[in-house]
Amino acid sequence: MINVLGIGGIFFRAKDPEALGRWYEETFGINQVTDSYDDPAWTQESGTTVFAPFKEDTIYFGNLDQQWMINFRVADLDVAVAALNDAGIAVEVAPERYPNGRFARLSDPEGNPIQLWQEMSPP
């Protein structure tokens, strides 16, 4: 067994990769991949990353045709939701507060599910 250091990339199919890449960059500040090794790649803050396969018939992602869902950690869920709403992006905030934090859901322009997570510090 080897212990990996973290996730080095997230790769997925898209109907319009250029437009979707721009949306993620404009919405979440995730730099698009370019053909130049001189352009900076997106760098994330260190922190919790959950890697969790789900049963193939889960409804957790919403649409049963979706094979993946990305979860972005945010510092302040309320601020993130307000910014997305100001940009005209619908976000559904879960009313529950869980021991590990608060969550919200939205979809990208191609319908891929996105979850936002404000991690709660241990007491």
Side-chain angles (χ1 to χ4, degrees):
M1 177 180 74
I2 65 167
N3 289 316
V4 298
L5 301 176
I7 294 174
I10 298 170
F11 308 100
F12 57 98
R13 292 182 175 94
K15 293 178 184 115
D16 188 342
E18 289 180 25
L20 196 57
R22 261 192 321 277
W23 184 85
Y24 276 92
E25 186 168 43
E26 293 167 358
T27 304
F28 296 113
I30 298 171
N31 300 14
Q32 293 187 69
V33 175
T34 68
D35 293 332
S36 170
Y37 287 102
D38 295 328
D39 292 334
W42 175 52
T43 303
Q44 61 178 319
E45 290 184 22
S46 63
T48 303
T49 300
V50 176
F51 184 85
F54 281 72
K55 293 182 114 187
E56 67 182 347
D57 61 350
T58 185
I59 60 168
Y60 190 66
F61 300 172
N63 182 343
L64 288 175
D65 293 333
Q66 300 304 126
Q67 294 298 310
W68 62 276
M69 177 176 67
I70 193 159
N71 173 297
F72 291 125
R73 283 182 283 112
V74 297
D76 187 317
L77 188 65
D78 296 323
V79 169
V81 168
L84 290 165
N85 286 332
D86 287 347
I89 299 169
V91 182
E92 183 179 324
V93 178
E96 299 87 3
R97 289 180 180 259
Y98 297 93
N100 62 331
R102 297 176 56 216
F103 297 89
R105 291 234 179 173
L106 63 142
S107 294
D108 72 18
E110 292 196 6
N112 297 305
I114 299 169
Q115 187 177 62
L116 302 178
W117 172 30
Q118 180 182 341
E119 188 175 16
M120 295 299 178
S121 302

